[in-house]
Amino acid sequence: MQNRAFVLLLLIVSMVLIGGAIAAYALDDESNMNCGSVIAEIGDQQFEFQQKCGPPTATEENGRVWVYDRRPEDFIYYVTFSEGKVERIQVSGND
């Protein structure tokens, strides 16, 4: 019986810790991204976005998602492209 209670407690603690870790990496949707003196936004062509914001720090999902890591001064942005246009802009660390 004590073994069962310990396993249950361990399971609950693990779930709480995993939930906290997932929340720490939650992304917020944005409609645009400030790139110095210009604003890049959803619907921009991929080449236009790169002209405004420069090359990404990294890419994910076979180049479909561009990552702009602007830490420590700013946040990390994830820009998703579909059919050559910006489909989604997400930011992490915007708490």
Side-chain angles (χ1 to χ4, degrees):
M1 186 67 174
Q2 285 182 344
N3 239 0
R4 186 180 238 174
F6 176 74
V7 169
L8 184 59
L9 178 62
L10 186 60
L11 181 62
I12 291 170
V13 169
S14 297
M15 290 173 65
V16 168
L17 291 175
I18 290 170
I22 290 170
Y25 291 102
L27 299 174
D28 295 323
D29 283 309
E30 299 287 331
S31 61
N32 59 48
M33 181 172 147
N34 186 343
C35 298
S37 62
V38 295
I39 303 286
E41 55 195 353
I42 292 173
D44 283 353
Q45 296 286 333
Q46 195 167 6
F47 73 90
E48 180 183 10
F49 193 91
Q50 187 166 1
Q51 286 179 330
K52 291 178 179 181
C53 299
T57 309
T59 61
E60 298 177 354
E61 298 183 30
N62 294 325
R64 186 171 173 259
V65 177
W66 289 7
V67 181
Y68 288 85
D69 186 348
R70 298 185 167 174
R71 292 175 297 172
E73 300 86 24
D74 204 348
F75 308 111
I76 301 173
Y77 290 87
Y78 298 86
V79 182
T80 304
F81 293 91
S82 178
E83 298 180 12
K85 292 184 179 180
V86 177
E87 177 182 71
R88 189 174 196 184
I89 300 172
Q90 295 176 290
V91 62
S92 70
N94 198 8
D95 297 24

